[in-house]
Amino acid sequence: MKGALLLVLALLPGFASAAAGLPALTVTPAAGGGETWTLSLQVLALMTAITFLPAILLMMTSFTRIVIVLGILRQAIGAGQSPPNQVIVGLSLFLTFFVMAPVFERINVEALQPYMAGSLEMGAALERAGGPLKQFMLAQTRESDIATFVKIAGGEGYATPADVPFSVLVPSFVTSELKTAFTIGFLIFIPFVIIDLVVASVLMSMGMMMLSPVLISLPFKLMLFVLVDGWSLVMGTLAGSFFR
């Protein structure tokens, strides 16, 4: 016990000198009323932000609408697990990167590059990065959904769309995306339901009630989907729905 105490006392000067040489938690005032964070604080903030990346990707981009529509399409075709979940998620991710490419480019030019060059503080860079993302979300969000969450929050509305905070915009955007995704999914589902009804009616009229209509209608649905170039139509419609 006494030896451990002596070891701690011997190491204290080293810790003190290390703390004096490395200002880990320091915030200094900057020109224009801003603040300059030390590298340690910047790395800590960056690592904290990385943990929110999955939530940002799911809730603040086009991913939600795309993955829901593709899931409904697979269910409408009735081909079981074809395409599998990995393919649907991967396709949704790459289509999301395609749709969000202009937004990411603006964030890179307006916020990331100036911050990497040292001409912009972290706080200002984050504020600039939120601008293009907010514009994208506002373009896809219904005013009725924003009004609903403003009413829930007890607010009285905002003068301009740019004044809507992310705390109100994000749930409004997700609600609008769910509505749009299910609307597109409904329109995709109708042709396949018609094929199922026609096949079931023909089988009943022929007295083949013991034969599963799904077994007969699946080849027709696959053939129809391939003949009309269904994947290209669905991908093009999904991507085009964000560029209105």
Side-chain angles (χ1 to χ4, degrees):
M1 183 69 180
K2 186 181 293 185
L5 181 60
L6 291 175
L7 180 61
V8 171
L9 292 175
L11 292 176
L12 280 178
F15 290 147
S17 61
L22 181 62
L25 303 176
T26 304
V27 180
T28 58
E35 294 178 342
T36 301
W37 296 1
T38 58
L39 181 61
S40 301
L41 281 177
Q42 294 181 21
V43 172
L44 178 62
L46 179 62
M47 296 302 294
T48 304
I50 288 176
T51 61
F52 290 97
L53 281 180
I56 293 174
L57 178 63
L58 291 175
M59 299 289 101
M60 300 175 68
T61 65
S62 58
F63 180 82
T64 300
R65 182 189 304 185
I66 295 171
V67 74
I68 289 177
V69 171
L70 293 182
I72 293 176
L73 173 62
R74 181 177 65 180
Q75 186 176 358
I77 294 176
Q81 293 298 316
S82 296
N85 291 331
Q86 294 87 343
V87 174
I88 289 181
V89 173
L91 185 58
S92 302
L93 281 174
F94 281 102
L95 193 57
T96 298
F97 292 147
F98 171 78
V99 172
M100 301 297 296
V103 179
F104 293 156
E105 181 64 24
R106 285 189 56 193
I107 293 175
N108 179 57
V109 173
E110 298 178 8
L112 182 59
Q113 293 301 325
Y115 172 73
M116 297 294 290
S119 60
L120 198 63
E121 301 295 334
M122 177 178 288
L126 291 176
E127 185 176 354
R128 285 193 183 182
L133 193 60
K134 177 180 286 189
Q135 291 181 9
F136 170 79
M137 296 170 66
L138 284 170
Q140 309 300 327
T141 306
R142 296 175 175 84
E143 293 183 3
S144 58
D145 294 326
I146 296 179
T148 298
F149 284 95
V150 170
K151 182 179 179 181
I152 294 174
E156 298 181 354
Y158 302 96
T160 62
D163 295 332
V164 180
F166 276 103
S167 59
V168 174
L169 181 57
V170 172
S172 305
F173 172 74
V174 174
T175 303
S176 291
E177 287 296 282
L178 290 174
K179 290 181 181 178
T180 305
F182 278 95
T183 301
I184 298 175
F186 170 76
L187 296 177
I188 292 176
F189 223 109
I190 291 178
F192 298 104
V193 171
I194 293 176
I195 293 176
D196 287 333
L197 290 175
V198 171
V199 171
S201 300
V202 171
L203 291 178
M204 289 186 64
S205 63
M206 296 176 62
M208 298 181 179
M209 292 177 292
M210 300 300 295
L211 185 61
S212 174
V214 177
L215 184 64
I216 304 300
S217 64
L218 179 57
F220 289 99
K221 290 190 287 186
L222 291 176
M223 180 181 64
L224 173 66
F225 193 68
V226 171
L227 288 177
V228 300
D229 199 8
W231 285 113
S232 179
L233 289 175
V234 172
M235 296 296 105
T237 301
L238 281 174
S241 64
F242 293 97
F243 300 98
R244 294 179 294 181

